[in-house]
Amino acid sequence: SSGINAEYGVSEFLQFLLSQPPEVDPALRERERDDDRARCRDSEKHQSELFLRRLVKDTIAKDRREGVKRDYSVYALAKSRALAEVVSIEAGQDLHSCLQTYFLSHLSS
């Protein structure tokens, strides 16, 4: 009979624990938010990298067709400058069209 009482006591105690609001360390919550932001930034940076890599390839091909001769370093520089400007893109703006604009403006400057 003591076994049943002990079980009853345990389940009551569990109910009590479950009914308590979880105490979350604010620092932990902040860290998780930072991690999410960092993950988001990393993925955005990765997307930007991939997009710019394709854009460089396409632009080189287009330039060749049109007989435009540029040194590869010019494309590389425009690409890295465009990538550096990712931080200034506002939420809601189209990442790819902004990157393309930055890249082309750096390329022609």
Side-chain angles (χ1 to χ4, degrees):
S1 69
S2 67
I4 292 168
N5 282 345
E7 256 173 50
Y8 183 68
V10 168
S11 72
E12 281 224 309
F13 181 61
L14 281 176
Q15 283 301 318
F16 167 74
L17 283 181
L18 291 173
S19 69
Q20 298 303 300
E23 271 186 48
V24 178
D25 177 14
L28 181 69
R29 192 175 280 150
E30 192 57 40
R31 208 167 30 248
E32 281 175 354
R33 245 198 311 264
D34 288 346
D35 288 350
D36 286 347
R37 275 194 214 108
R39 246 194 309 282
C40 199
R41 262 198 311 272
D42 288 348
S43 130
E44 202 168 77
K45 191 168 187 233
H46 182 63
Q47 291 298 321
S48 307
E49 273 278 4
L50 292 177
F51 176 75
L52 282 169
R53 218 175 286 161
R54 270 198 315 272
L55 187 60
V56 168
K57 237 186 264 175
D58 295 348
T59 308
I60 290 173
K62 182 175 145 302
D63 284 354
R64 285 228 178 99
R65 280 196 308 273
E66 295 171 1
V68 177
K69 294 228 180 291
R70 285 192 179 111
D71 194 65
Y72 282 117
S73 63
V74 175
Y75 298 104
L77 188 62
K79 177 186 160 205
S80 60
R81 285 187 175 159
L83 199 57
E85 287 195 64
V86 168
V87 291
S88 64
I89 298 174
E90 311 262 316
Q93 283 185 295
D94 180 17
L95 182 67
H96 289 175
S97 65
C98 288
L99 282 171
Q100 191 165 6
T101 304
Y102 295 150
F103 174 75
L104 294 174
S105 73
H106 288 305
L107 197 60
S108 59
S109 62

